[in-house]
């Protein structure tokens, strides 16, 4: 992890899930994440629908100068980059593993690095159908004079291990957009093997 706030949010999610792949949405206590709420969002996704925002914190809405609830997840990405981040989000749901993305926002020839943490959560007890996300600046926040932004620039990513570390996959690695057939079987209730966590 590259930022203390990102680590704290991950630790909360990781502790909440215990030995399970993901916690239930109903188990998340907003008061436990009170100081991070402006940077948090929840995206809902199913096999038949594109991922959409179920809610988004005030800081994230300020970045785009609009309420994101109900909008497509691709809305916040720079044009031409939205397919790969959506694929990563789908992998988070399928494998039920958290992922950390390196994000860059630019203004006045200066880059502002951000962490984008994606963590699977379940509405019920059998599959992850939502992602709890956190968009956190690593050092200097983007100034208000730079708002609204045109979109997030994706650089690299990796699944996060329980200890908070991750291998990095660059944006040039061409993440596969093919979703394994077991994803569809799992959504209709058939048990399938999943990779170890």
């Amino acid at each position: 992890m590259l930022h203390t706030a990102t680590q704290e949010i991950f630790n909360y999610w990781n502790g909440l899930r215990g030995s399970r792949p993901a916690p239930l949405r109903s188990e998340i206590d907003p008061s436990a994440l009170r100081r991070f709420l402006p940077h948090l969002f929840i995206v809902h996704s199913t096999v038949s629908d594109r991922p959409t925002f179920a809610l988004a914190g005030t800081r994230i809405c300020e970045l785009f100068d609009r309420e994101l609830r109900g909008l497509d997840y691709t809305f916040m990405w720079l044009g031409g980059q939205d397919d790969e981040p959506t694929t990563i989000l789908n992998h988070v749901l399928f494998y039920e593993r958290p992922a950390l993305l390196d994000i860059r926002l630019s203004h006045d020839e200066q880059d502002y690095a951000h962490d984008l943490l994606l963590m699977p959560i379940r509405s019920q007890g059998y599959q992850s159908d939502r992602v709890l996300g956190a968009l956190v600046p690593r050092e200097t926040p983007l100034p208000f004079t730079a708002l609204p932004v045109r979109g997030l620039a994706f650089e690299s990513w990796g699944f996060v291990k329980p200890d908070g570390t991750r291998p990095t996959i660059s944006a040039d690695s061409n993440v596969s957009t093919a979703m394994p057939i077991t994803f569809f079987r799992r959504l209709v209730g058939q048990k399938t093997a999943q990779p170890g966590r």
Side-chain angles (χ1 to χ4, degrees):
M1 291 295 179
L2 299 176
H3 190 277
T4 302
T6 310
Q7 183 74 61
E8 289 186 43
I9 296 166
F10 172 78
N11 289 345
Y12 175 78
W13 174 88
N14 200 36
L16 202 61
R17 74 184 180 104
S19 61
R20 301 168 297 172
L24 293 173
R25 168 67 181 89
S26 59
E27 295 175 315
I28 297 174
D29 179 7
S31 66
L33 296 169
R34 183 181 294 109
R35 65 193 187 94
F36 304 120
L37 290 179
H39 302 277
L40 301 181
F41 63 87
I42 292 180
V43 170
H44 176 264
S45 185
T46 68
V47 69
S48 59
D49 298 317
R50 290 185 65 84
T52 57
F53 286 97
L55 59 86
T58 54
R59 178 55 179 170
I60 297 174
C61 292
E62 286 171 353
L63 286 176
F64 299 95
D65 194 27
R66 65 178 301 172
E67 172 62 57
L68 296 187
R69 184 173 183 173
L71 293 183
D72 196 301
Y73 175 68
T74 60
F75 172 82
M76 69 176 183
W77 298 96
L78 287 174
Q81 280 200 316
D82 53 5
D83 285 344
E84 194 164 17
T86 299
T87 297
I88 295 168
L89 184 138
N90 286 332
H91 286 345
V92 168
L93 289 169
F94 169 64
Y95 292 112
E96 295 191 295
R97 295 178 62 188
L100 181 65
L101 287 70
D102 297 319
I103 302 300
R104 186 185 74 255
L105 295 174
S106 298
H107 172 68
D108 245 359
E109 299 184 356
Q110 183 173 351
D111 289 337
Y112 296 84
H114 285 62
D115 288 340
L116 179 61
L117 180 64
L118 302 175
M119 300 158 286
I121 54 178
R122 299 178 173 189
S123 294
Q124 302 181 47
Y126 56 88
Q127 70 184 42
S128 290
D129 59 354
R130 295 174 187 263
V131 168
L132 173 63
L135 181 62
V136 181
R138 289 188 197 153
E139 295 177 1
T140 307
L142 194 72
F144 281 99
T145 55
L147 304 179
V149 299
R150 292 188 300 111
L152 306 183
F154 162 66
E155 294 189 320
S156 61
W157 77 285
F159 283 127
V160 182
K161 298 179 181 179
D163 64 0
T165 61
R166 62 142 216 211
T168 298
I169 303 172
S170 74
D172 300 325
S173 299
N174 294 326
V175 176
S176 171
T177 57
M179 190 54 59
I181 191 65
T182 49
F183 178 65
F184 300 100
R185 290 177 181 158
R186 189 160 65 86
L187 285 177
V188 296
Q190 298 180 27
K191 293 183 179 180
T192 59
Q194 295 186 27
R197 293 176 177 80

